[in-house]
Amino acid sequence: MNCRTLISTPTNVAISDITTRLVKQASVLTRYSKYGLGNLVMLSSRIEEGDYLFDVLLSHRIDVLNRFFDPKTGWRSSLSSLILFLEDPRRVEYYLENSQIHLPTSILSLPLLKCMSKALTWLSRLNRFMRESAKKIEEVFNKYGIDEGGHYADFNATRKKCISLLKLLSSFDIGDMNAEQFALKNATMIFCTVSNTSKLKNAGSFEVLIVDEADN
């Protein structure tokens, strides 16, 4: 659905049922199983971590986006530090993995997602190499810089591939925003009970309103 839609029901059970059906439908429309979930937001107080709907829960999305927007440890600073030093690839892996879940398609295009997926694959290889060779990894770095030869040619090739992909991603910038406002304004579909509609003052306008009056 391309128009902004608010779906409201009287109970949490009803809104959970509707949201579950639409999340399942969204998941089968793309090879990236969770891409597009950033378009969906659900307001509920009964969803816990591990629940099928946890990824579209507003409170969880706010937590994730707050990490994205953090000026010291967020997306931009993590990507920059990884490109420059390759010190902590796990931090950037976190953002690459969660971006497809929590960023709407209006912000995260499919070509950009594909680039992120490639970067994540190469970062995983780099992490695996570093875990397996932790005791010898310092041999890769000689006092003049990176040792290009020896037994660590695979590591250097992987490192260079990671850097080239991450540099392509460095132009992607979601800025510094209020996480709740970002999540609500960029979602194309929001699910909530009638009692929770009062929390949508920062959600902007909607083109379609669907009210399910069934009391499940």
Side-chain angles (χ1 to χ4, degrees), residues 83-134:
I83 291 174
L84 292 174
F85 309 112
L86 280 175
E87 286 182 339
D88 188 8
R90 288 170 297 180
R91 184 190 297 176
V92 173
E93 278 190 284
Y94 171 85
Y95 296 117
L96 291 174
E97 290 171 348
N98 280 278
S99 60
Q100 65 175 301
I101 303 174
H102 296 288
L103 294 182
T105 54
S106 60
I107 302 295
L108 180 62
S109 66
L110 192 56
L112 185 59
L113 175 68
K114 291 178 179 179
C115 185
M116 285 184 171
S117 296
K118 290 180 181 178
L120 184 59
T121 298
W122 283 95
L123 279 172
S124 296
R125 293 180 185 178
L126 183 64
N127 266 336
R128 185 168 61 251
F129 182 94
M130 295 177 74
R131 286 195 302 268
E132 293 173 352
S133 308

Side-chain angles (χ1 to χ4, degrees), residues 19-72:
T19 308
T20 297
R21 290 198 295 269
L22 288 170
V23 167
K24 288 181 178 179
Q25 182 179 4
S27 298
V28 300
L29 294 178
T30 173
R31 56 176 292 193
Y32 303 97
S33 61
K34 294 188 176 183
Y35 177 60
L37 292 187
N39 295 333
L40 311 179
V41 172
M42 177 184 181
L43 282 71
S44 176
S45 58
R46 298 188 178 183
I47 304 299
E48 298 180 353
E49 185 171 359
D51 190 282
Y52 182 74
L53 298 177
F54 190 64
D55 285 333
V56 298
L57 185 66
L58 177 62
S59 58
H60 174 53
R61 181 151 300 159
I62 290 172
D63 289 340
V64 174
L65 291 176
N66 275 330
R67 295 187 66 176
F68 267 86
F69 297 142
D70 190 291
K72 294 182 178 179

Side-chain angles (χ1 to χ4, degrees), residues 165-216:
L165 287 168
L166 292 172
K167 283 183 176 179
L168 290 176
L169 293 174
S170 62
S171 60
F172 172 61
D173 184 11
I174 53 178
D176 300 316
M177 298 181 63
N178 176 276
E180 180 176 359
Q181 185 175 355
F182 177 90
L184 291 174
K185 281 198 170 183
N186 286 287
T188 57
M189 193 171 292
I190 296 178
F191 311 86
C192 69
T193 60
V194 174
S195 61
N196 275 330
T197 55
S198 60
K199 300 177 181 179
L200 299 177
K201 60 182 180 180
N202 293 322
S205 60
F206 295 91
E207 299 167 79
V208 177
L209 171 63
I210 300 174
V211 178
D212 182 357
E213 297 182 349
D215 188 5
N216 292 343

Side-chain angles (χ1 to χ4, degrees), residues 82 85-87 89 122-134 136-142 145-163:
L82 181 58
F85 309 112
L86 280 175
E87 286 182 339
W122 283 95
L123 279 172
S124 296
R125 293 180 185 178
L126 183 64
N127 266 336
R128 185 168 61 251
F129 182 94
M130 295 177 74
R131 286 195 302 268
E132 293 173 352
S133 308
K136 297 182 179 180
I137 198 67
E138 63 182 22
E139 296 176 17
V140 180
F141 300 90
N142 60 32
I146 301 295
D147 182 0
E148 297 291 343
H151 298 290
Y152 296 97
D154 288 342
F155 170 83
N156 288 320
T158 301
R159 179 185 62 83
K160 289 179 179 179
K161 185 65 175 180
C162 286
I163 291 174

